[in-house]
Amino acid sequence: MKILVSNDDGIDSPGIYALSKALKEIGDVIVVAPLAEQSAVGHAITMQIPLRVTEYYKNNEFFGYAVDGTPADCIKMGIKNILKYQPDVVVSGINNGSNSAINIIYSGTVSAAREAAIMDVPSIAVSVASHKVDNYAFAGKVARNLTAEVVNKKLRPGTLLNVNIPNLPESEIKGILLTKQGKSKWDDIYEERIDPYGRKYYWLTGKMLPLDNTIEADQYAVMQNYVAVTPIHFDLTDYETFANMKSWNIENLFSLKENMFK
Ligand code: MN
């Protein structure tokens, strides 16, 4: 089994090292990851400047390929230029920090997996819900077992699994739940500071406010010490509105033909 591994915390982060170690137990791992941290870059791709790829060594051993771009760049280049074939699965992580609820939109970790889904490769994004992860061993085990399951069971084209894991020892984890993307909002705070030249600058921080406290919501499940597994898709169509808007008869709303050539 060929497994392409990436992340958004950068190729030197402990999470990607733990992930690749866990996945080597079930397949051949190829790491293509950002040279520098790319957290919260979303699904950005690099088009205005060139990309460079360097071989990255860890403990004097070849670890993988570092791309000086975004997580989505890593997956595109990884498949097109480095592997030159479709891997069986792409796994992104292990991210420091939760990627549940609205964070899915901003997450580089999820975007790497989503890019794989766009390229018809089944994929998984794995995050631990803390910026100070105590131990990656359990998250690595979850990632390994789910990867084997995804390759075995297959996913619908375009679908990826978004996995969030509490920052707890295995003995304190209550179980694993199938979840939905929870509802949440960020209470953004742009902290105002002064630079050495006396000018103001702003640094984004804030607090995520969960808006649904049901066990089916990913962020709530994680708060209740469960591993949350949410299937997501890149198709952003709102099918409910699509059905409801049929009654608008939008094709008759404006007489485009009359005005088109004026
Ligand atoms: Mn990150």
Side-chain angles (χ1 to χ4, degrees):
M1 189 194 332
K2 304 287 184 196
I3 309 169
L4 176 60
V5 165
S6 195
N7 75 346
D8 77 358
D9 289 342
I11 198 162
D12 64 349
S13 75
I16 197 170
Y17 187 69
L19 179 61
S20 82
K21 198 174 150 203
L23 293 176
K24 276 176 188 165
E25 294 171 24
I26 56 166
D28 300 326
V29 171
I30 306 95
V31 173
V32 182
L35 182 63
E37 183 173 347
Q38 298 287 311
S39 289
V41 301
H43 209 117
I45 51 171
T46 304
M47 291 177 70
Q48 307 303 330
I49 53 169
L51 288 171
R52 289 177 206 280
V53 183
T54 48
E55 292 187 353
Y56 179 82
Y57 288 77
K58 203 160 190 148
N59 308 326
N60 289 323
E61 228 176 273
F62 176 69
F63 178 67
Y65 300 91
V67 177
D68 61 347
T70 67
D73 289 331
C74 290
I75 300 306
K76 283 176 179 290
M77 279 204 68
I79 293 174
K80 280 277 185 187
N81 287 58
I82 296 168
L83 293 184
K84 301 189 177 114
Y85 60 82
Q86 296 275 102
D88 296 295
V89 61
V90 165
V91 188
S92 176
I94 298 168
N95 187 62
N96 279 13
S98 145
N99 278 312
S100 58
I102 199 62
N103 289 350
I104 291 176
I105 297 293
Y106 305 110
S107 168
T109 306
V110 174
S111 294
R114 186 164 45 209
E115 184 58 41
I118 293 170
M119 296 177 81
D120 299 321
V121 178
S123 58
I124 307 174
V126 184
S127 306
V128 174
S130 171
H131 287 284
K132 284 191 187 121
V133 176
D134 298 317
N135 191 330
Y136 294 97
F138 176 64
K141 202 155 117 182
V142 170
R144 182 198 66 196
N145 291 356
L146 272 176
T147 300
E149 205 63 17
V150 157
V151 171
N152 184 24
K153 293 236 170 66
K154 311 262 183 288
L155 292 173
R156 192 167 81 89
T159 296
L160 54 134
L161 296 185
N162 184 37
V163 182
N164 283 282
I165 300 166
N167 183 36
L168 292 171
E170 188 170 351
S171 58
E172 290 174 43
I173 301 280
K174 280 199 207 145
I176 178 161
L177 291 177
L178 182 61
T179 50
K180 297 173 186 166
Q181 179 181 358
K183 290 179 181 61
S184 69
K185 272 192 172 31
W186 273 96
D187 181 16
D188 292 318
I189 299 161
Y190 286 89
E191 211 175 281
E192 189 180 297
R193 297 182 187 181
I194 306 292
D195 77 11
Y197 306 99
R199 295 170 304 203
K200 284 179 190 167
Y201 69 97
Y202 300 86
W203 205 304
L204 176 61
T205 165
K207 215 175 137 196
M208 193 166 86
L209 309 170
L211 297 176
D212 54 5
N213 292 337
T214 65
I215 202 73
E216 279 199 338
D218 53 3
Q219 88 272 24
Y220 188 74
V222 170
M223 280 162 58
Q224 299 302 310
N225 302 348
Y226 288 95
V227 175
V229 179
T230 307
I232 59 175
H233 199 286
F234 60 76
D235 180 354
L236 300 179
T237 309
D238 178 352
Y239 285 95
E240 200 178 319
T241 303
F242 179 82
N244 291 342
M245 274 185 72
K246 297 238 168 168
S247 66
W248 289 25
N249 291 317
I250 204 164
E251 61 276 22
N252 299 327
L253 269 187
F254 319 105
S255 49
L256 281 180
K257 277 188 185 132
E258 279 174 29
N259 300 318
M260 205 174 277
F261 302 107
K262 277 183 186 165

